[in-house]
Amino acid sequence: MPYPDQWEADVVLADGGTAHLRPIRADDAGLLREFYARLSPESIYYRFFSPRPRLTDREVEHFTTVDYDDRVALIATIGGAMVAVVRYDRLRSGADTAEVAFLVEDAHQGRGVASVLLEHIAAAARERGITRFIADVLPENRRMSKVFRDAGYKAEQRYEEGVLTLTLDLEPTETSREVMAAREHRAESRSIGRLLSPRSVAVIGASREEHSVGQSVLRNLLAGGFAGPVYPVHPSATAVSSVRAYKTIGDVPGEVDLAVVAVPAEVVGDVVAQCAAKDVHGLVVLSSGFGETGPEGRERQNELVRLARAGGMRVVGPNCLGIANNANGLNATLAPTLPRHGPIGFFSQSGALGITILKWAAERDLGLSTFVSAGNRADVSGNDLMQYWEEDPDTAVVLLYLESIGNPRKFTRLARRISLRKPIVAVKSGRTTQGVPLGHAAQALSLPDHAVSALFAQAGLVRVDSLGELFDVAQLLAYQPLPRGDRVAIVGNSDSIGLLVQDAATVAGLRPRRPVDLGPEAGPGDFTAALEEAFADEGIDAVVTVFAPAVHGTRTADVAAAIVAAADGADTPVIAAYLGERGLLHGSVPSYPAPESAVRALAYAVRYAGWRRRPHGRIPDLPGVDRDRARALVGELAGQETPSPEETAALLACYGITVREDGHGIATRISTSEDPSFGAIVSFGLDDVTAELLEDRAYRLAPLTDVEAAEMVRAVRTAPLLLGHRGAEPVDTGALEDLLLRASRLADDLPEVARLDLEPVLAGPGGAVVRGARLRLAGPHGRPAEDARRLRNLGP
């Protein structure tokens, strides 16, 4: 078989470093010999069960010459050197079982290399029709035994003649997927932790020139209070900003964890190679002149990432503002000042907006834990930062300014998990075009924007419309408890403003009480008493306070202090429309310049809290589903884009879906599609011209839970027609939900199904009948594999 380049992958290891995986080639003989020479006698003995100080030429040829079918080997390389190899040998031609064996260089053992190699060799084996691995392991080789046992596959073992034989069923299980996701989470989190918590920083391109990029970032690092050493790197200067400088990073006497790069784009590649040789952990590339400049810059950008990953490093940027961590005083950005330390993690793709974003956050007194501006987002993305923030004790709220999404399927998966513990608030540009800025390593989204919003909402993500709303919602979620419901008390000293709040709350879908007007002369004690009364009322879920100073009246600072003191420790959120001020009152109670802004932020928080409280359901067991038969049918239909009605019916029958010619009721349509960004998508709506014109369809990611299927039926604006509008008998919504679940399971199981339309589906009181079905197939790799961890592939 030809060389399978689809098996190549960049991966993050358990300690946050990176490696490149690829199939072995015949010209790797030299790499193999060098690798073998660095192995300890113990590692060799564990692999071959006998001493073997060197490999013969015949053995080297045997190990490096494979057919990528019956015999496959994958190697891991770092900095161009081979550090590990895994191989399988099919027991006999056509067999579904193969022997598997690993060998990892001693210096890289314990970094999770074997675990990630097992995921990739298993995926390759499944692609070649192999369903089981057999591995012989010496009992004293506990580390390798643990790799197999901890993988999560169904396993059997037997002990015979001093050898432990393990048999692994390679069909992914719920446990194996959970294990992979947990390892991915830990590895990617640590890779970001290495960037944000370095022990030392070098600025390559540090300059004496006033207001230059290199001088600005060096000055900010020195002024930010970073406790570790900072090393300027300059080709000729002996000192920059009164700090001793070094000609190259290789001349720096100590270890360097983080390198901030501010040199012309043309020489960045040389700098990356020097950083790899210095064993730098991560790069922040401020330099422009990459993907944003066109095809030549795009190739330069891809080469930057290839070199960095091959050298074990992650990259923030290029063309970015930088990174900051308030916990350790790291300010490796071009922004001279940062907001105070606080509970918000902020990811911004835009370097141009970054300084403005930080300025606005400071003006509102919002505290940031960490800040990352990714620029062209060639490597490190919002997904990586979410992995880090999920466990970061300093971060309670995640803010995202997105211009593109490199891996939306993974993005929604992470958001769904993290949102159960920490709110994620995002604003995404390109609502009308779904386009991405030039230079971003991502493709445009193919779904309409309202569908993207629906998928984000399914994941619990709070999507807002503007940067102003982003900060408005952050003020509330970061500093106040979540509302228990949508019942709102309004307390203030202005009846007219109170009525504006009431109107705005009603329009926003909240349930406001009649405003409590304390009168224009109300003082701190009046506000304290009114708030305490609202807190004691079990029918109140949130409080909006309104304060406008009288011409001759109350000391405003005392009222603010009273509101903050009353809110302190309360389990009911308090927000304020106070003097037209924007920000936080005494660092805790959010204040908004207009009552509508306050209510809008509260409505977002209410919806998020409701999503978090509600049951999310489960993916149910569906009777009559035969996935193995379905996969076999898809294999038989390979090469056919449009199966016949009979073939379509046979495939649908594997999921308990029957096409019939009888039935009556309201015409609906259930569709699934294999979206290039999000994966399997399910949509539902009425099957009529009006619904089509209004694009009245509900969208969700597959596979659906039972709760999500029920929500879809009720999410379309025309749902009342199904639920008994004007006294009509309701349709059997349970039958529609069952069809949605079955169609979503088919779409999730079979990425080769590019599109499925069940149209019309006639829904009546007695059930739902599928009257027509259309099926379109694509190639066998319609979806990027998620059965092995890998970093996002680089663009062409």
Side-chain angles (χ1 to χ4, degrees):
M1 285 193 175
Y3 178 84
D5 54 11
Q6 74 271 19
W7 292 349
E8 292 197 10
D10 294 323
V11 298
V12 183
L13 304 178
D15 61 359
T18 59
H20 182 67
L21 307 187
R22 64 170 174 84
I24 204 166
R25 300 188 298 254
D27 60 3
D28 287 326
L31 279 182
L32 179 61
R33 286 193 174 93
E34 292 169 2
F35 163 70
Y36 198 84
R38 297 192 298 270
L39 295 172
S40 69
E42 181 184 57
S43 292
I44 293 172
Y45 185 83
Y46 282 162
R47 166 64 178 89
F48 295 105
F49 297 2
S50 65
R52 190 173 301 195
R54 58 181 293 273
L55 295 176
T56 66
D57 291 345
R58 184 174 179 180
E59 287 172 329
V60 170
E61 180 181 5
H62 174 76
F63 288 143
T64 56
T65 305
V66 296
D67 61 9
Y68 306 121
D69 184 11
D70 291 339
R71 297 183 61 248
V72 168
L74 303 180
I75 64 172
T77 64
I78 299 176
M82 182 190 303
V83 299
V85 60
V86 61
R87 65 180 63 250
Y88 78 68
D89 291 87
R90 202 187 299 258
L91 293 186
R92 63 184 182 280
S93 180
D96 63 359
T97 303
E99 292 186 69
V100 65
F102 291 84
L103 193 50
V104 179
E105 185 178 334
D106 296 68
H108 295 277
Q109 292 177 10
R111 301 186 64 197
V113 182
S115 296
V116 74
L117 278 173
L118 177 59
E119 292 174 15
H120 283 260
I121 196 73
R126 287 191 292 270
E127 192 174 318
R128 296 298 190 244
I130 292 172
T131 61
R132 289 193 306 169
F133 275 163
I134 294 177
D136 288 335
V137 182
L138 291 174
E140 56 267 35
N141 190 359
R142 295 183 179 86
R143 179 171 282 172
M144 190 52 62
S145 298
K146 191 174 190 308
V147 168
F148 288 114
R149 291 194 181 100
D150 290 352
Y153 298 115
K154 293 179 181 177
E156 298 177 357
Q157 67 178 52
R158 71 175 189 276
Y159 182 76
E160 188 175 338
E161 297 182 356
V163 175
L164 186 65
T165 299
L166 298 169
T167 302
L168 300 182
D169 182 346
L170 299 184
E171 179 67 24
T173 66
E174 191 64 31
T175 301
S176 70
R177 293 188 181 96
E178 289 175 356
V179 167
M180 186 184 73
R183 286 174 173 166
E184 175 191 65
H185 165 64
R186 289 193 299 269
E188 293 182 359
S189 174
R190 286 169 183 162
S191 75
I192 300 304
R194 299 201 323 173
L195 288 165
L196 290 170
S197 299
R199 294 164 298 179
S200 56
V201 182
V203 179
I204 305 176
S207 174
R208 293 174 168 178
E209 183 180 344
E210 189 73 17
H211 304 305
S212 66
V213 171
Q215 187 191 78
S216 296
V217 70
L218 176 62
R219 183 176 60 245
N220 295 339
L221 268 167
L222 296 175
F226 177 64
V230 177
Y231 303 107
V233 176
H234 189 283
S236 58
T238 57
V240 179
S241 296
S242 301
V243 180
R244 180 182 175 182
Y246 299 87
K247 186 175 182 180
T248 70
I249 194 167
D251 297 323
V252 174
E255 294 182 352
V256 177
D257 287 341
L258 177 68
V260 182
V261 180
V263 300
E266 295 76 13
V267 298
V268 167
D270 294 335
V271 167
V272 173
Q274 295 168 17
C275 289
K278 183 66 175 175
D279 196 26
V280 171
H281 290 165
L283 303 173
V284 176
V285 181
L286 307 179
S287 312
S288 57
F290 290 89
E292 77 280 3
T293 64
E296 183 179 346
R298 167 75 72 180
E299 181 51 42
R300 188 183 297 124
Q301 179 171 297
N302 289 342
E303 183 62 16
L304 156 66
V305 178
R306 277 192 288 266
L307 288 171
R309 288 177 178 175
M313 298 175 287
R314 301 299 306 272
V315 178
V316 176
N319 190 32
C320 71
L321 184 73
I323 66 175
N325 184 352
N326 271 327
N328 59 17
L330 176 73
N331 182 7
T333 77
L334 300 178
T337 58
L338 296 176
R340 65 181 175 88
H341 189 202
I344 298 171
F346 202 125
F347 174 82
S348 170
Q349 286 183 355
S350 172
L353 273 176
I355 292 179
T356 301
I357 287 170
L358 291 173
K359 181 174 180 291
W360 288 353
E363 288 174 350
R364 292 176 181 244
D365 197 29
L366 288 178
L368 298 187
S369 59
T370 42
F371 170 82
V372 173
S373 162
N376 291 358
R377 198 189 48 75
D379 179 29
V380 169
S381 70
N383 289 347
D384 296 294
L385 267 297
M386 288 199 296
Q387 298 272 35
Y388 172 79
W389 282 323
E390 181 176 6
E391 303 298 336
D392 178 30
D394 286 340
T395 301
V397 176
V398 172
L399 301 187
L400 306 173
Y401 174 73
L402 303 173
E403 294 175 330
S404 62
I405 306 174
N407 186 340
R409 184 175 175 86
K410 182 176 178 179
F411 175 78
T412 51
R413 172 169 57 85
L414 292 177
R416 190 171 192 168
R417 185 179 77 212
I418 297 168
S419 293
L420 290 170
R421 297 176 51 208
K422 299 180 180 182
I424 302 172
V425 190
V427 60
K428 183 187 177 299
S429 62
R431 271 186 176 271
T432 57
T433 64
Q434 294 294 62
V436 300
L438 186 64
H440 280 222
Q443 61 185 1
L445 300 180
S446 59
L447 293 173
D449 189 68
H450 71 89
V452 175
S453 292
L455 300 184
F456 283 6
Q458 181 186 5
L461 186 139
V462 181
R463 186 183 186 186
V464 297
D465 294 326
S466 66
L467 283 172
E469 287 188 357
L470 187 76
F471 289 123
D472 285 347
V473 177
Q475 289 176 198
L476 198 164
L477 293 176
Y479 295 98
Q480 290 293 306
L482 290 176
R484 294 182 296 270
D486 59 1
R487 300 165 300 179
V488 181
I490 304 166
V491 174
N493 68 343
S494 170
D495 186 53
S496 59
I497 300 178
L499 290 174
L500 286 176
V501 173
Q502 184 179 19
D503 290 342
T506 302
V507 170
L510 305 178
R511 291 187 291 165
R513 292 275 187 91
R514 175 75 186 176
V516 176
D517 182 14
L518 302 177
E521 303 297 330
D526 301 304
F527 275 88
T528 298
L531 287 172
E532 289 178 349
E533 182 178 348
F535 296 154
D537 188 339
E538 294 184 356
I540 296 299
D541 301 312
V543 181
V544 180
T545 60
V546 172
F547 177 73
V551 175
H552 51 77
T554 311
R555 290 178 298 167
T556 59
D558 292 343
V559 172
I563 294 172
V564 171
D568 185 34
D571 60 1
T572 300
V574 177
I575 63 176
Y578 182 89
L579 285 176
E581 290 189 6
R582 185 192 301 275
L584 297 171
L585 299 179
H586 295 268
S588 63
V589 174
S591 180
Y592 302 88
E596 294 84 358
S597 299
V599 170
R600 189 183 304 115
L602 178 60
Y604 278 118
V606 166
R607 287 194 291 270
Y608 167 69
W611 177 87
R612 211 158 103 164
R613 283 194 310 271
R614 71 171 175 80
H616 296 279
R618 61 182 183 85
I619 299 173
D621 293 327
L622 299 172
V625 172
D626 189 343
R627 182 177 181 273
D628 292 338
R629 174 60 180 155
R631 291 224 53 82
L633 285 175
V634 167
E636 295 171 8
L637 296 171
Q640 295 188 46
E641 182 176 351
T642 308
S644 68
E646 293 76 18
E647 291 166 333
T648 298
L651 185 60
L652 293 177
C654 295
Y655 287 85
I657 301 173
T658 304
V659 181
R660 293 160 43 184
E661 295 183 358
D662 60 342
H664 61 278
I666 299 173
T668 65
R669 185 174 73 189
I670 295 172
S671 298
T672 74
S673 60
E674 185 64 27
D675 184 81
S677 296
F678 287 95
I681 304 291
V682 185
S683 66
F684 170 79
L686 264 61
D687 187 29
D688 62 25
V689 175
T690 302
E692 184 177 351
L693 286 173
L694 296 176
E695 187 44 43
D696 184 22
R697 299 193 65 75
Y699 294 84
R700 296 292 187 274
L701 293 169
L704 298 174
T705 68
D706 49 3
V707 169
E708 290 165 347
E711 288 176 344
M712 285 191 76
V713 173
R714 294 155 181 81
V716 293
R717 295 192 295 277
T718 46
L721 297 176
L722 303 172
L723 303 177
H725 183 59
R726 292 187 174 180
E729 188 174 2
V731 307
D732 184 354
T733 54
L736 284 175
E737 293 163 19
D738 183 70
L739 277 173
L740 280 165
L741 289 167
R742 293 178 183 277
S744 85
R745 184 71 59 83
L746 182 152
D748 189 58
D749 286 347
L750 307 174
E752 298 88 347
V753 176
R755 186 168 183 89
L756 169 65
D757 289 299
L758 304 180
E759 179 187 17
V761 177
L762 301 179
V769 175
V770 179
R771 287 284 302 273
R774 296 189 306 276
L775 188 68
R776 182 167 61 83
L777 299 179
H781 305 298
R783 181 188 309 155
E786 289 202 343
D787 49 5
R789 289 171 284 159
R790 63 178 63 217
L791 288 168
R792 175 175 44 83
N793 291 333
L794 302 177

